[in-house]
Amino acid sequence: MTERIEIRTSQDVLRVRQRVRALAIEAGLSLVDQTKVVTAASELARNTLEYGGGGSADIELINGAHHGVRLTFADEGPGIKDIDAALRDGFSTSDGLGLGLGGAKRLSNEFKIDSVPGKGTRVTIARWK
Ligand SMILES: Nc1ncnc2c1ncn2[C@@H]1O[C@H](COP(=O)(O)OP(=O)(O)OP(=O)(O)O)[C@@H](O)[C@H]1O
Ligand SMILES: [Mg+2]
Protein backbone atom coordinates (compact mmCIF):
# COMPACT_ATOMS: atom_id res chain seq x y z
CA MET A 1 0.00 0.00 0.00
CA THR A 2 1.28 3.43 -0.95
CA GLU A 3 0.70 6.49 1.15
CA ARG A 4 0.89 9.94 -0.47
CA ILE A 5 1.96 13.12 1.27
CA GLU A 6 1.55 16.38 -0.64
CA ILE A 7 4.54 18.68 -0.28
CA ARG A 8 3.51 22.35 -0.26
CA THR A 9 5.17 23.79 2.85
CA SER A 10 8.15 23.10 5.10
CA GLN A 11 5.66 21.63 7.57
CA ASP A 12 4.94 18.97 4.93
CA VAL A 13 8.67 18.18 4.74
CA LEU A 14 8.52 17.50 8.47
CA ARG A 15 5.49 15.23 7.98
CA VAL A 16 7.40 13.28 5.31
CA ARG A 17 10.29 12.82 7.77
CA GLN A 18 7.92 11.58 10.48
CA ARG A 19 6.05 9.12 8.24
CA VAL A 20 9.27 7.77 6.73
CA ARG A 21 10.66 7.23 10.24
CA ALA A 22 7.48 5.37 11.26
CA LEU A 23 7.51 3.14 8.18
CA ALA A 24 11.23 2.44 8.53
CA ILE A 25 10.58 1.26 12.09
CA GLU A 26 7.67 -0.87 10.85
CA ALA A 27 9.98 -2.41 8.23
CA GLY A 28 12.42 -3.34 10.97
CA LEU A 29 15.29 -1.13 9.81
CA SER A 30 18.08 -0.51 12.29
CA LEU A 31 18.33 2.92 13.90
CA VAL A 32 21.24 3.74 11.59
CA ASP A 33 19.29 2.75 8.48
CA GLN A 34 16.19 4.61 9.70
CA THR A 35 18.28 7.74 10.00
CA LYS A 36 19.83 7.22 6.55
CA VAL A 37 16.46 6.97 4.83
CA VAL A 38 14.94 9.82 6.83
CA THR A 39 17.90 12.05 5.94
CA ALA A 40 17.63 11.14 2.24
CA ALA A 41 13.85 11.74 2.34
CA SER A 42 14.37 15.11 3.96
CA GLU A 43 16.79 16.26 1.25
CA LEU A 44 14.55 15.07 -1.57
CA ALA A 45 11.43 16.59 -0.02
CA ARG A 46 13.27 19.90 0.38
CA ASN A 47 14.28 19.81 -3.29
CA THR A 48 10.68 19.03 -4.30
CA LEU A 49 9.55 22.09 -2.38
CA GLU A 50 12.39 24.48 -3.28
CA TYR A 51 12.99 23.69 -6.94
CA GLY A 52 9.89 21.75 -7.95
CA GLY A 53 7.52 24.31 -6.46
CA GLY A 54 5.92 21.54 -4.43
CA GLY A 55 4.80 18.06 -5.37
CA SER A 56 4.26 14.76 -3.64
CA ALA A 57 5.97 11.97 -1.75
CA ASP A 58 4.73 8.40 -2.19
CA ILE A 59 5.84 6.18 0.64
CA GLU A 60 5.55 2.41 0.72
CA LEU A 61 6.74 -0.56 2.68
CA ILE A 62 8.59 -3.18 0.67
CA ASN A 63 8.07 -6.74 1.80
CA GLY A 64 9.45 -8.97 -0.92
CA ALA A 65 13.02 -10.06 -1.44
CA HIS A 66 13.91 -7.02 0.67
CA HIS A 67 12.30 -5.50 3.73
CA GLY A 68 12.40 -1.74 3.82
CA VAL A 69 10.84 1.39 2.39
CA ARG A 70 10.58 2.85 -1.10
CA LEU A 71 9.92 6.56 -1.63
CA THR A 72 9.04 8.49 -4.77
CA PHE A 73 9.23 12.28 -4.90
CA ALA A 74 7.52 13.90 -7.87
CA ASP A 75 6.99 17.45 -9.01
CA GLU A 76 5.97 19.30 -12.15
CA GLY A 77 8.59 22.00 -11.80
CA PRO A 78 11.29 23.11 -14.25
CA GLY A 79 13.16 19.80 -14.26
CA ILE A 80 16.94 19.30 -14.17
CA LYS A 81 18.95 20.18 -17.28
CA ASP A 82 22.07 18.16 -16.42
CA ILE A 83 21.42 15.30 -14.01
CA ASP A 84 25.09 14.26 -13.77
CA ALA A 85 26.03 17.78 -12.72
CA ALA A 86 23.15 17.97 -10.23
CA LEU A 87 24.37 14.75 -8.59
CA ARG A 88 27.89 16.12 -8.12
CA ASP A 89 28.75 17.28 -4.62
CA GLY A 90 28.99 21.05 -4.51
CA PHE A 91 26.74 21.67 -7.51
CA SER A 92 23.88 24.00 -6.67
CA THR A 93 21.82 26.44 -8.68
CA SER A 94 20.84 28.20 -5.47
CA ASP A 95 23.09 29.00 -2.53
CA GLY A 96 22.84 25.41 -1.26
CA LEU A 97 25.78 23.18 -0.43
CA GLY A 98 24.88 20.94 -3.34
CA LEU A 99 24.96 17.83 -1.20
CA GLY A 100 21.30 16.82 -1.22
CA LEU A 101 20.98 14.65 -4.30
CA GLY A 102 24.38 12.97 -4.08
CA GLY A 103 23.88 12.43 -0.36
CA ALA A 104 20.45 10.88 -0.92
CA LYS A 105 22.00 8.53 -3.48
CA ARG A 106 24.78 7.44 -1.13
CA LEU A 107 22.29 6.83 1.69
CA SER A 108 20.07 4.58 -0.42
CA ASN A 109 20.23 1.01 -1.72
CA GLU A 110 18.30 2.03 -4.83
CA PHE A 111 18.27 5.42 -6.51
CA LYS A 112 16.59 6.49 -9.72
CA ILE A 113 16.06 9.95 -11.11
CA ASP A 114 13.98 10.95 -14.11
CA SER A 115 13.77 14.58 -15.03
CA VAL A 116 12.50 16.31 -18.13
CA PRO A 117 13.22 20.02 -18.54
CA GLY A 118 9.94 21.90 -18.55
CA LYS A 119 8.00 18.87 -17.30
CA GLY A 120 9.26 17.91 -13.87
CA THR A 121 11.32 15.58 -11.77
CA ARG A 122 10.77 12.18 -10.21
CA VAL A 123 13.24 10.61 -7.79
CA THR A 124 12.76 7.12 -6.37
CA ILE A 125 14.86 5.69 -3.57
CA ALA A 126 14.72 2.56 -1.46
CA ARG A 127 16.45 1.53 1.71
CA TRP A 128 16.26 -2.02 3.00
CA LYS A 129 17.81 -4.31 5.59
N1 LIG B 1 13.17 18.59 -7.91
C1 LIG B 1 14.06 19.36 -8.56
N2 LIG B 1 13.66 20.13 -9.60
C2 LIG B 1 14.54 20.91 -10.27
N3 LIG B 1 15.85 20.99 -9.97
C3 LIG B 1 16.30 20.24 -8.94
C4 LIG B 1 15.45 19.40 -8.18
N4 LIG B 1 16.19 18.77 -7.25
C5 LIG B 1 17.44 19.21 -7.41
N5 LIG B 1 17.52 20.10 -8.41
C6 LIG B 1 18.74 20.78 -8.92
O1 LIG B 1 19.86 20.03 -8.53
C7 LIG B 1 20.77 20.84 -7.80
C8 LIG B 1 21.47 20.00 -6.77
O2 LIG B 1 20.55 19.58 -5.76
P1 LIG B 1 21.10 19.22 -4.31
O3 LIG B 1 19.95 18.86 -3.45
O4 LIG B 1 22.20 18.23 -4.46
O5 LIG B 1 21.76 20.59 -3.83
P2 LIG B 1 21.06 21.93 -3.33
O6 LIG B 1 19.61 21.70 -3.10
O7 LIG B 1 21.42 22.99 -4.31
O8 LIG B 1 21.80 22.19 -1.97
P3 LIG B 1 21.58 21.37 -0.58
O9 LIG B 1 20.59 20.28 -0.84
O10 LIG B 1 22.93 20.83 -0.22
O11 LIG B 1 21.06 22.40 0.35
C9 LIG B 1 19.91 21.97 -7.23
O12 LIG B 1 20.68 23.12 -6.97
C10 LIG B 1 18.91 22.18 -8.37
O13 LIG B 1 19.46 22.97 -9.40
MG1 LIG C 1 18.91 20.07 -1.99
Side-chain angles (χ1 to χ4, degrees), residues 22-93:
L23 254 72
I25 290 170
E26 201 175 323
L29 295 189
S30 69
L31 186 55
V32 168
D33 284 343
Q34 289 169 33
T35 300
K36 286 180 180 174
V37 71
V38 170
T39 301
S42 188
E43 291 299 329
L44 297 176
R46 262 187 343 104
N47 284 350
T48 299
L49 182 62
E50 266 182 50
Y51 306 109
S56 58
D58 286 340
I59 301 174
E60 63 179 324
L61 272 179
I62 46 181
N63 268 316
H66 302 293
H67 290 267
V69 294
R70 179 171 286 116
L71 315 173
T72 298
F73 295 85
D75 66 62
E76 295 181 345
I80 300 175
K81 244 186 289 169
D82 184 341
I83 291 175
D84 288 337
L87 280 166
R88 220 169 286 138
D89 285 349
F91 178 92
S92 177
T93 55

